[in-house]
Amino acid sequence: HDPYVRHYMGYTSVDQLVRAAVRADSTDGEAIKNELEGHEVESERVQALQPAEEPLYWRAADHQLVQPVYASAGRAVEDMESDPNRWFEVIDRMPGEEAAGEPSAECEL
């Protein structure tokens, strides 16, 4: 993992919300929510940053972004690479469907 993986997650969230607002041609929350429902992420940039065999999509039931989740650990200092900034290694991966869990009627965007 790159040390900026958290920045990527924030970027993806904002990127997808802006894209939904553009598709809705509105800044109205309800219109943006409707654009997210079931939308599959097709951004080449996002897919380059987080390659996955399964689709990344916004689940209609609770507007959760379904994407794989990774567990990582810091590398030993002597194993860290400055180019391309690899300071962590992935120790486990959970598919998006499993990580997102079942939708709850109590959760709303």
Side-chain angles (χ1 to χ4, degrees):
H1 274 343
D2 187 283
Y4 304 104
V5 69
R6 289 185 181 170
H7 296 50
Y8 150 76
M9 295 299 288
Y11 164 81
T12 300
S13 296
V14 171
D15 171 74
Q16 290 299 300
L17 289 171
V18 169
R19 288 173 186 270
V22 169
R23 287 192 309 272
D25 194 26
S26 175
T27 56
D28 177 67
E30 190 69 24
I32 293 170
K33 180 184 81 167
N34 291 340
E35 283 297 325
L36 288 175
E37 288 191 359
H39 177 75
E40 187 171 324
V41 177
E42 296 176 350
S43 168
E44 290 179 18
R45 182 72 159 154
V46 169
Q47 292 178 355
L49 291 168
Q50 180 167 292
E53 291 181 20
E54 72 241 41
L56 284 80
Y57 67 95
W58 293 88
R59 188 166 58 192
D62 60 359
H63 309 98
Q64 171 73 35
L65 178 58
V66 178
Q67 62 183 333
V69 175
Y70 299 87
S72 59
R75 295 176 180 227
V77 173
E78 58 273 8
D79 295 334
M80 290 182 180
E81 300 172 21
S82 293
D83 187 25
N85 291 333
R86 294 183 53 92
W87 299 349
F88 305 92
E89 64 181 310
V90 175
I91 57 175
D92 201 2
R93 179 185 184 282
M94 181 182 291
E97 288 288 337
E98 188 177 331
E102 290 295 318
S104 169
E106 297 170 4
C107 293
E108 290 187 27
L109 177 66

